[in-house]
Amino acid sequence: MSEPVEPAKRYLIRTFGCQMNEHDSERIAGLFEADGMVAATDVEDADVVVLNTCCIRENADNKLYGTLGHLKSVKDRRPGMELVVSGCLAQKDQDGIRERAPYVDLVFGTHNVHQATELLHRSRTEGPLTSILTETVAADHELFPSAMPAHREHGHTAWVTIQIGCDNSCAFCIVPAVRGAEISRPFDRLVHEVAELAGAGVTEVTLLGQNVNSYGRDLTLAARQAGDDVRVRPLFADLLREVGAVDGIRRVRYTSPHPKDLRPETIAAMAETPAVCEHLHLPVQSGSDRVLAAMHRGYTAERYLEKLAAARAEIADLAVTTDIIVGFPGETDDDFERTLELAAAAEYDSAYTFIYSPRTGTEAAEMVDQFVPADVIAERFERLKVVLERSALAKHRGRIGRVEEVVVEGLSRKDQALTTGRTRQNKLVHFASADPLRVGTFAEVEVTDAAPHFLRGRLVEVTAAPRHRTRIPVAAG
């Protein structure tokens, strides 16, 4: 008589933070699938729960430990459930995770995503385990997230990691400490990967890196040091052109660039490569030269606006978004007024605004005597919101009457009677459709109304059906 077959273990991944974390979660899911596991849709059904963490802001800590507190009660009812903490907060806190939450079975960081299944198996035999690598070895390209199997939430779009780490030293940022120094993936390997994705039905790729527009500088430096007659320079503009030329890829996006590294050749590549979307996310962080210098950003407000004007002059119908920090240590009323002035002058389509959050291990966290009072920050935050939403609404109203190409992302979260699509400028459009439209469908929609954060429209026609197969979802939180 044959042995009974044990049912496959079920996993659930909750992702906190940026696109890089989302991509890491896709890779962890792919590794789990390759190990015979299947996705769960609810914590109560999962045998393994992974919390893939962020540590950019203080509330990331609170969110993690609050979630772990909830999961402890689930684990008390289901002792066989395994809890895993991965990502940037795991890289930063290391053994501190299990000191605060000793019921966690496995902790691993940003540099050993590739070991997820191996470490999980070890924790089952050896007991609770914390495994943190201090750096990624450039020669071990299999360690890059995009070199591992993946299961994506939507089959029509894919993240492609082109670079990991960051060589900048922004005073507020913990990323270099948890992601390490910049390492670029080989150029040809990236283009080949995008071609393979296109062959699987992917029509849109987003190139990922902590500072994407410095991509390739380390590659050309290494070639020069090896004796090649090459100029040390970034290769990001070349990569945009090559990826944009891959057959089947209709949209190319990227995030996040650094303003100091936005070069004329990148702007030209965006303007001249039809597949590259007309959207530029250019994080300014502050409009005060004094604060920018304290942040070590490497540009002035004037230089930033010059680069922005150059991009808008060359790239037709360009949408621009940004990040702004309110309340950086030492920010005065005059400094904040400069930020309001820049925000108004830049006329952003949208902005991510953040209240400064001290992160242990960063330079700014040591500026305790210069911390801005919370009530002052709150008042500044609301004033900035008014300026940003005014320009966003003006930009969106300017699109009323236009017919936009959108890619369907599914039903609207707030109104299931509406379908949601995304334009090339990265704007959400909500519209009615008599027939259900599959995710990844291309359609033409006439914009009929505008709000600061989205557009409303009328479906004109469906122009292309999706080519991808249905994928297994990865839960986000």
Side-chain angles (χ1 to χ4, degrees):
M1 183 177 292
S2 61
E3 295 271 338
V5 178
E6 289 190 15
K9 286 187 177 290
R10 301 174 64 84
Y11 72 88
L12 183 75
I13 301 175
R14 296 289 303 277
T15 307
F16 306 96
C18 68
Q19 295 95 333
M20 191 72 78
N21 277 23
E22 291 181 23
H23 191 35
D24 284 349
S25 290
E26 291 179 346
R27 302 302 162 180
I28 294 170
L31 291 167
F32 283 178
E33 293 282 340
D35 197 45
M37 299 172 68
V38 296
T41 57
D42 187 84
V43 167
E44 296 290 345
D45 298 327
D47 300 300
V48 179
V49 176
V50 179
L51 304 181
N52 191 19
T53 61
C54 170
C55 67
I56 297 298
R57 288 174 291 281
E58 186 174 16
N59 67 355
D61 300 51
N62 301 332
K63 195 169 187 179
L64 169 65
Y65 291 107
T67 303
L68 283 174
H70 166 70
L71 289 174
K72 182 180 186 300
S73 63
V74 179
K75 183 159 183 168
D76 287 342
R77 296 195 309 272
R78 301 175 54 228
M81 186 178 77
E82 298 167 288
L83 291 183
V84 180
V85 178
S86 64
C88 294
L89 195 57
Q91 187 75 30
K92 180 176 77 74
D93 287 358
Q94 303 186 17
D95 290 326
I97 301 283
R98 294 203 64 260
E99 289 172 5
R100 291 185 60 173
Y103 45 89
V104 170
D105 298 281
L106 172 62
V107 178
F108 65 88
T110 57
H111 299 307
N112 51 348
V113 170
H114 65 292
Q115 295 178 329
T117 51
E118 172 193 340
L119 293 172
L120 189 58
H121 285 295
R122 281 182 54 193
S123 71
R124 290 168 183 164
T125 58
E126 300 175 18
L129 181 66
T130 298
S131 177
I132 305 293
L133 299 182
T134 57
E135 63 181 359
T136 295
V137 181
D140 292 338
H141 295 299
E142 69 274 10
L143 307 190
F144 279 91
S146 288
M148 296 176 237
H151 279 290
R152 300 182 300 278
E153 183 175 1
H154 298 306
H156 73 285
T157 182
W159 310 111
V160 177
T161 299
I162 68 171
Q163 165 206 73
I164 58 172
C166 182
D167 288 344
N168 293 312
S169 56
C170 299
F172 55 84
C173 188
I174 193 68
V175 167
V178 295
R179 290 281 180 179
E182 286 180 16
I183 304 174
S184 300
R185 292 181 64 201
F187 191 100
D188 292 343
R189 191 168 300 187
L190 288 170
V191 177
H192 177 72
E193 179 179 330
V194 172
E196 287 190 327
L197 289 168
V202 169
T203 55
E204 177 177 319
V205 294
T206 301
L207 308 181
L208 288 182
Q210 303 300 338
N211 183 18
V212 288
N213 45 6
S214 68
Y215 164 79
R217 184 183 287 124
D218 56 327
L219 299 178
T220 54
L221 176 60
R224 181 67 174 267
Q225 291 172 337
D228 294 349
D229 184 18
V230 298
R231 181 166 60 93
V232 177
R233 65 181 182 90
L235 300 173
F236 185 61
D238 301 337
L239 185 65
L240 281 179
R241 293 180 186 274
E242 288 293 322
V243 169
V246 171
D247 186 39
I249 297 298
R250 296 181 56 167
R251 291 186 174 186
V252 178
R253 303 186 188 277
Y254 64 88
T255 194
S256 288
H258 195 297
K260 71 177 176 58
D261 295 318
L262 180 62
R263 299 162 66 98
E265 56 264 36
T266 297
I267 295 173
M270 292 182 67
E272 296 165 10
T273 309
V276 177
C277 290
E278 297 83 2
H279 171 226
L280 175 63
H281 185 70
L282 200 63
V284 67
Q285 306 301 359
S286 174
S288 161
D289 288 349
R290 194 185 68 83
V291 172
L292 288 170
M295 290 177 167
H296 308 313
R297 290 293 288 171
Y299 54 84
T300 63
E302 181 180 16
R303 183 63 180 139
Y304 176 92
L305 290 173
E306 287 174 353
K307 293 196 174 196
L308 187 56
R312 281 178 165 151
E314 195 160 345
I315 304 166
D317 200 21
L318 180 68
V320 180
T321 56
T322 197
D323 297 337
I324 299 176
I325 295 173
V326 179
F328 183 82
E331 181 187 70
T332 65
D333 288 341
D334 183 69
D335 291 326
F336 181 68
E337 289 297 328
R338 303 288 81 75
T339 295
L340 291 179
E341 290 173 3
L342 185 144
E347 298 181 328
Y348 293 114
D349 291 72
S350 180
Y352 298 96
T353 51
F354 306 100
I355 290 174
Y356 171 73
S357 175
R359 310 308 293 136
T360 301
T362 64
E363 180 181 338
E366 304 300 318
M367 304 176 183
V368 179
D369 58 339
Q370 299 182 63
F371 282 5
V372 180
D375 59 334
V376 174
I377 293 177
E379 185 268 342
R380 290 176 183 174
F381 195 86
E382 290 304 312
R383 290 174 62 196
L384 178 61
K385 180 180 176 182
V386 170
V387 173
L388 293 170
E389 291 200 346
R390 182 168 60 227
S391 65
L393 184 58
K395 290 285 188 181
H396 284 185
R397 284 175 172 166
R399 306 193 82 84
I400 293 175
R402 296 181 53 163
V403 175
E404 304 268 6
E405 178 195 80
V406 305
V407 175
V408 172
E409 296 193 346
L411 297 178
S412 168
R413 294 181 180 179
K414 294 186 177 180
D415 185 351
Q416 296 284 294
L418 297 177
T419 297
T420 295
R422 192 174 297 272
T423 71
R424 290 177 59 88
Q425 287 77 17
N426 208 36
K427 299 179 184 297
L428 289 178
V429 185
H430 304 301
F431 60 95
S433 174
D435 300 310
L437 297 178
R438 188 178 163 203
V439 171
T441 298
F442 283 80
E444 299 287 337
V445 175
E446 180 185 3
V447 179
T448 59
D449 197 9
H453 303 293
F454 61 87
L455 303 169
R456 298 184 185 90
R458 177 185 64 84
L459 177 63
V460 175
E461 64 174 330
V462 172
T463 57
R467 299 188 297 114
H468 65 278
R469 297 184 298 274
T470 302
R471 299 282 182 174
I472 296 172
V474 178

